[in-house]
């Protein structure tokens, strides 16, 4: 079992920054990929950034160069540093854990076993 709790969301103006955190408890060492997803109203949930167990990162094209995913050494905290935020980044952000070993982090929400409750990010123009 893995429990995930996100924090750090809020409202910022376009061009601003936010740092999201995800506190993980339980069997976090068994997670192959830890990832951030987001879901805007009326939209499907989409992958934003992933970090697999060997440290490789994956980013959606829409956030490359602006967002950075990282994890503490104990794998108890997952972070998403978001810079140069845009109004289209407005969404609920979720962290998720995938226990299956894969060639790389999956972008399919169905592949993730555990989810946090989400933290909301609003970017105004």
């Amino acid at each position: 079992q893995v429990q995930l709790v996100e924090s750090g969301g809020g409202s910022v103006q376009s061009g601003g920054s936010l740092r999201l955190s995800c506190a993980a408890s339980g069997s976090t060492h068994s997670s192959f990929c830890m990832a951030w997803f987001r879901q805007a109203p009326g939209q499907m949930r989409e992958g934003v950034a992933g970090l697999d167990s060997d440290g490789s990162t994956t980013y959606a094209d829409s956030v490359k160069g602006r967002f950075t995913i990282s994890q503490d050494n104990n794998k108890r905290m997952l972070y998403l540093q978001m810079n140069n935020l845009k109004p289209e980044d407005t969404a609920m952000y979720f962290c998720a854990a995938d226990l299956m070993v894969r060639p790389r982090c999956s972008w399919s929400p169905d592949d993730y076993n555990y989810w946090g409750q989400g933290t909301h990010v609003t970017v105004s123009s």
Side-chain angles (χ1 to χ4, degrees), residues 31-96:
S31 298
F32 170 72
C33 180
M34 297 292 295
W36 288 96
F37 284 76
R38 67 186 181 188
Q39 188 167 19
Q43 303 293 319
M44 297 189 65
R45 192 168 295 191
E46 63 173 357
V48 174
L51 175 64
D52 67 26
S53 56
D54 70 3
S56 297
T57 56
T58 307
Y59 295 96
D61 289 342
S62 59
V63 307
K64 280 181 182 176
R66 300 189 298 123
F67 290 12
T68 303
I69 188 171
S70 62
Q71 192 173 43
D72 72 337
N73 290 336
N74 295 325
K75 297 189 176 182
R76 292 297 182 181
M77 293 296 297
L78 182 73
Y79 303 102
L80 185 67
Q81 178 65 44
M82 305 187 295
N83 298 328
N84 190 22
L85 283 160
K86 304 175 180 180
E88 51 263 43
D89 295 318
T90 295
M92 185 74 81
Y93 283 72
F94 301 88
C95 70

Side-chain angles (χ1 to χ4, degrees), residues 8-51:
S11 297
V12 296
Q13 289 190 325
S14 183
S17 298
L18 281 174
R19 188 194 197 202
L20 304 184
S21 299
C22 174
S25 59
S27 303
T28 57
H29 61 277
S30 61
S31 298
F32 170 72
C33 180
M34 297 292 295
W36 288 96
F37 284 76
R38 67 186 181 188
Q39 188 167 19
Q43 303 293 319
M44 297 189 65
R45 192 168 295 191
E46 63 173 357
V48 174
L51 175 64

